[in-house]
Amino acid sequence: MKYSESKTVWIMLLLAISVNLLQSCSKDFIDVESNQETESALTSDRAPELVNAVYNSLLAWEVSSFAWTGLTSIASDDADKGSILSDTGVDKHLLDALDISPTLLSVADVWRGHFDAIQRANQALNRIEQFDDMDEELQSRLLGEAKFLRALFYFRLVQTYGGVPVITSINSLDDINEDLLTRATTEETYAFIEQDLIEAIESLPEKSEYPTSELGRATKGAAKALLAKVSMYQEKWEQVKILTNEIIASGEYGLTPNYEDIWKESSENNIESIFEIQSRGEDPAAGVDKYSTIQGARGEGGWGWGFNTPSQDLDNAYENGDTRRQATIMFAGETLYDGRVISINAPNPRYNQKAYSSALTEAEITGKNVRLLRYAEVLLMNAEAAAVIGGDVSTPLNQIRQRAGLEPTTATSQLAVWEERRLEMAFEHDRYFDLVRQGRASTVLNSKGIPFQTGKHELFPIPQEQIDLSGGVLTQNPGY
Amino acid sequence: MNFKHTFLLVVLLVTQIIWSQSTRNGVITSENGTPIPGASVTIENTARGVQTDFDGQFSIEASNGDVLVIRYLGFTEEKVTVNANQTTYNIILQEDVNQLNEVVVVGYGTQRKEVLTSSVAQIRGDELVEESVLNATQALQGKAAGVQVIASDAPGQASRVVIRGLGTVQGGRDPLYVIDGVLTDNINNINIADIESINILKDAASLAIYGNRGANGVIIVTTKKGKTGKLQVKFNTYTGVRDILRTVDMANAEQFVIYSNEAALRDLLNDNDPTNDNDFSNFLPTNQQYDTNWLDEITRIGLIRDYYLSLSGGDEKINAFFSVGFNEEEGILLNNDFNRLTVRSNVDYKITEKLNFSHKVGVQLATGSPQSFGLFTSAYKQAPIIPARLDDGTFGSSIAINNVANPLIDATNAFKREKNKFFKVQGAFQLDYEVFDDLTFTSRFSIETEYGRFYNFRNRLGRFLADNPSNTESSFEGGIENPSKTRLTITHTNTYRWFIDNYFTYKKTFFDKHNIDVTLGITAEENQSEFLSATRNNVPLDSNLNFNLNNGDQNDTQSNSGAISVTDRLYSYLARLNYNYDGKYLLGGSFRRDGSSRFQDGSQFGNFYALSTGWVVTEEDFFSDTAFDILKLRASFGQLGNQNVPFNIITATTGSGGFYAFGPNQELQQGITITGTVQEDLSWEVTEETNIGLEYTLLDYRLSGEIEVYKRVNTNAILEIELPDVIGFDPFNSAVGEVENKGIEFSLNWSDKIGEDFSYSIGGNFSFNENKISKVTNPFFNEQLGGFINNGEYTKKITVGQSLGSFFLYEVEGIDESGDFVYRDNNNNGIVDEGDRKFFDSYLPKYYTSLNLSMNYKNFDFSTDLFGSFGNQIYNGKKAQRFGNENIELSTFNNRYTSGQPSNTTPRAFNDVPISSDYYLESGDFIRVNNVTLGYTLPEKTLKYFTKMRIYASARNPLIWQRFSGFTPELPGDPLGGAGIELDAYPTLSSFYIGLNTSF
């Protein structure tokens, strides 16, 4: 009896110890802290960083590099695919020939890249709006910057695809429904862009009102210039005129005396710059992904892949004495301003000088700032508005011509502005959409053997994979 | 009751016991008269007992009527009743021929195989030692049904083990290894000669006790203990040579030139530019000075040496085992060496009759000089017309004709130096306390820590100049100032884990026939890893200086990085109950509750369980008069977890994913954003497994085997979800899939003796497994692509209804009249596009089988193993990757289409990168002789100082029958990565050894 009594005591004791151990330790023991920053790190003091991450999207391959160059430039009459025959750049030969289908990688890349960027803008906007403990002026400015960027991304989408789903919220797996995936009309998309820009204009400071350390952020002038361009695409000429006049009158901007200098490292963010992608080449690099490499000279002595080469047609379009020809085109055999020699044996006769970065390294990310909005374009929009609804065309137009080393012109037609615009803005991701906007894409392109079909090629197709993934809620553009 | 009373009582009791007792002596021997040291002699129903000494003698106090129970592993238990006038008891133990009486190691305890209701494969250490391989995982190949081993012959490399099929896409796929109680990832640090046994747990009944880590199977390794008796010293050594088992014949210089020029001509004719059709300026001249065999240039005959010394001995109080092993290998690839030192100390202390303490500590020091296996691809592709070296000793360069680097540059370490060092300590410290006769309490603390050091020195300038004869020092790095001519990177890594296990074991028989065996316990563990890495430029070239960071530039080009992992912890409760009625009707249940720090609050705790039952038919009266000695049927079902899944937190995107430069000097400002979403309650994967088994032994225990049928379903396999792009989120993981493995396993063994001098055994096993993704419940499931072969082409895709790792390729219909591939237009849209791809079989074999034979005749022993694997496909990645002017196989040259010799199997010479098609897909079937060993044990009478001496010769992989045309059909890797694709792969080697085993 004693034996089993002590046995019971033992068991009870051991059980008591074990149960105690079980109860107290287990939960505490496995509750460990994460050692990486998670969503909870997004507090109001990180508000500027949330917006910086939206700017960071501008550096992405899909947003600014190969696919965007392909759609805006290679597809147009300004550029050829370039490079060597066997290197198609996946689908750039098809873009060059305007042989476009919904399965092209470039079409899918631009779509994805811009919606990723919009998601970041939505993260910044939705979160910063909720912060109730931050400096109101800063909060307003940051919201303005994010709205400017969101408008820029949507504008590029509506230029490329027409109306797209307009998404302003942060969504999870459970939020996905038909409404969210349905395309807005082109008009609705433009209305949304305009609203973002109007709000941005209200809350953004002028370029000169920013501290120097913040150079490169979206400004009131930038929002106005973008709104002017958005208005131009909708032929709201009154609005174009008012906005461009305001920018001209602001005194914030002017023209760079020498056209070629605009794309040099030394001219980054200069007087002519309204908005440009800030690219840092030094380690740690924060530049536009391979922008210069893709368009760099190929082959012997080259440093790039040789894509997006200026066409013979563009070369022929410059008048004698137009300094923009040498500034836009690097010719095989040419010695550049920094002493770099383009081999005479390069596989292509011409390369895009506006993408050239003088940094003599093999780095794929260079410090090349990509100029998105500059004062010259404001003048051209101002001139074009005047040409349509009346006003002074010559003053702004001849400012442009004079800087290019050309005699003033007396022409004041919209066509004259268009012709000037092509030469001034070549390789600035404008030409293809500009021709479509002007309504003469088929005339101009067909005459140069590019098979533009009216009613189809005004827009690029919605990526097929995305239509499939939406279960057919996303609809395809006509003709594809 | 006060102290005095207690004391009196004790004295009285003790006196009474002594009064009736007297000393009994005796010798325990085996049937042939050899004394058995270390046998236990106990008095039934008491805790009293002794062990026999080295001469098999014992002496014990016993009373009349006491029953002495004598036990020794491998012998049947004997019982002798003590009678008054007999003081000497000479007892002969019968050898236990009943193999099922063996004890099987299971999680947190052992079980008798006889009453086991789960599927456990046991492999004895001495079966593995025969294999003369460094890594025990490789030695497991073919040893157990249901255990697939994809072997690698690379120095220091582990083989991949898959138990009962692949059950996960995103989660960890490796089985859990348990080394003397340490739960870990691999057994690379264990010397095979130290292994007592390996037990492989295959079904839910045996795995549920490992809960959240049981889903991929568990391999339990038990190392040796000291044996009671005289000190035994063993010394083993072997040495051998290794060479590539099967090579691929390549075109020679003359053939290469013919092929390349044909391809160049084809390009000229195809480019729609008639003006260049007669431009032969880029053609290669026909009489070439060199004819290099690149594989010969970068390889050599490999050498292996292995030495092993062990000491084992003990008495009633302490048993000790010590070993030291050293293995050194010069790999077949130049400068690819590996050596490993292992030291082990396992000691058992009997502190009191009831309290035992033991420790098992193993240390490994390994050093390797790695080489990229990409050199095999370079050697395959490099043109034979390029000299390995020029007459002046400089390396030949192919820059003028192709982009393949001269593989000899890296193989000779001319411009680099690399070294890896590993130091690993693994130890378990265990207390066993016998609370009562039937109840034992075990408390164990175990640790494992591994330090890795990686040195990587590159002479970048030297390499730049060697790659291209026209490169000059001034053009290095684009001519920048102060370029990084050399670069040294040193990385230190550390991982550690510790465990505390506390559990009770209760074994008791009630009313003679009701046997229960209970285990109850709690365990806690922690894992963490960290690394630190630093780089400096312009370290001097001298080999005594180039591994010293401080010799490099001190300016801002130096860089460093480091990180520590999140603490990974588990807190678990475990329970197991086994019941059997008279060894006839068996029932088992096991349970584990795991709390894991890996998951978010609310999803941390998981319960895993299994139920099993068995029926020993031969215990029934109606079945007693048959040829069967043992016939057992068993079945089990349970749920297992796999917590080794990707972490489930929304990590903020920062750094290069968020920063942006502002200001005139482009100062970086940090950015932060969220680019993903997660399934918030994502946790471990749950595998449900059903197993039915039949064990049989018949014809006087000569024939034995098992048949098992199983189905395991990963019911919430984690797959990648890709939302529509407009949502703007990265793909993320969600538990939306189901992966199913179904299979059958057979094993059969026959062993017998013919006369006194000849004994033999023959055995084999066969496994069949069918794998597929059976269900996906979310429309946004991302059909991930994989098997990229670095030329822009992919070869694999994941989708519902297909096996994991299935190839997804274009289908070649034939060769057209111009000598080009004709691809089948599977979607009938008139063009060759993505829609024409179709699924082919997976790289996972459907069947694998092995056959082993061993014979002993007098002093000779002979053994051989065959292994076969069937039903899978292999992609010939190195052949499919070809870019222009790279070498071709001799058969490609001989069979190519030419206008004079049309071919319907091989296209004409071409330089284009081919799209991935079934033309490059080959059968993975092979049968290989894994091992042939012939040994001779010297007769004892000829030995003076030794107690045993055996010499042997052994061949590993001497023969293979394979359908694949490449170097090796065994291609480990990730299912969506390089598994089953021969590209940058290490060839299978054949090795020949001679060795010596001695003991004294």
Side-chain angles (χ1 to χ4, degrees), chain B residues 664-676:
Chain B
N665 299 321
Q666 299 200 314
E667 298 289 342
L668 273 187
Q669 290 191 20
Q670 293 308 310
I672 189 166
T673 191
I674 302 292
T675 60

Side-chain angles (χ1 to χ4, degrees), chain A residues 2-3 6-7 10-11 14 18 21-22 25-39 41-42 46 49-50 52-53 55-56 58-59 85 108 111-112 115-116 119-120 123 127 165 167 170-173 176 180-181 212-217 265 268-269 276-282 284-286 360-362 367 369 465-466 469, chain B residues 1 9 271 433 435-439 441 464 475 477-478 480 498 502 504 506 522 524-526 564-567 569-571 573 595-597 601-602 604-605 649-677 721-730 732 734 778-780:
Chain A
K2 289 224 153 46
Y3 191 58
S6 66
K7 200 174 204 170
W10 258 109
I11 293 173
L14 286 164
S18 345
L21 278 167
L22 305 189
C25 300
S26 63
K27 184 70 178 118
D28 289 349
F29 183 71
I30 60 168
D31 277 334
V32 300
E33 299 273 322
S34 169
N35 66 358
Q36 282 173 297
E37 287 191 315
T38 59
E39 218 174 339
L42 297 172
R46 310 290 287 270
E49 294 187 33
L50 274 163
N52 293 348
Y55 284 99
N56 176 278
L58 292 167
L59 310 176
L85 186 71
W111 178 272
R112 185 173 67 248
F115 276 110
D116 280 356
Q119 196 281 129
R120 288 181 173 211
Q123 288 280 353
R127 289 173 193 274
I167 292 175
I170 304 166
N171 300 289
S172 70
L173 183 58
I176 297 173
L180 202 65
L181 303 180
T212 327
S213 63
E214 304 300 312
L215 185 69
R217 289 190 180 275
E265 192 105 21
E268 289 180 348
N269 300 308
E276 59 192 59
I277 304 176
Q278 306 296 311
S279 255
R280 176 187 152 103
E282 304 85 62
L360 271 172
T361 69
E362 291 168 340
N369 278 15
E465 197 192 346
Q466 294 304 312
L469 208 53
Chain B
M1 208 197 286
L9 193 73
D271 69 356
Y433 183 68
V435 187
F436 311 111
D437 274 356
D438 319 307
L439 181 71
F441 173 66
F464 175 75
S475 64
E477 297 261 276
I480 58 166
W498 57 254
N502 287 299
F504 291 95
Y506 182 70
I522 308 168
E525 66 168 273
E526 179 176 306
I564 186 160
S565 70
V566 182
T567 316
R569 285 180 174 163
L570 267 183
Y571 197 90
Y573 314 109
S596 169
S597 66
D601 221 1
Q604 288 170 316
F605 285 91
I649 41 170
I650 301 185
T651 313
T653 300
T654 56
S656 60
F659 60 37
Y660 195 74
F662 291 104
N665 299 321
Q666 299 200 314
E667 298 289 342
L668 273 187
Q669 290 191 20
Q670 293 308 310
I672 189 166
T673 191
I674 302 292
T675 60
T677 183
I721 294 286
E722 190 171 17
L723 299 178
D725 282 350
V726 294
I727 308 300
F729 281 140
D730 306 334
F732 65 100
S734 185
N778 190 294
F780 299 119

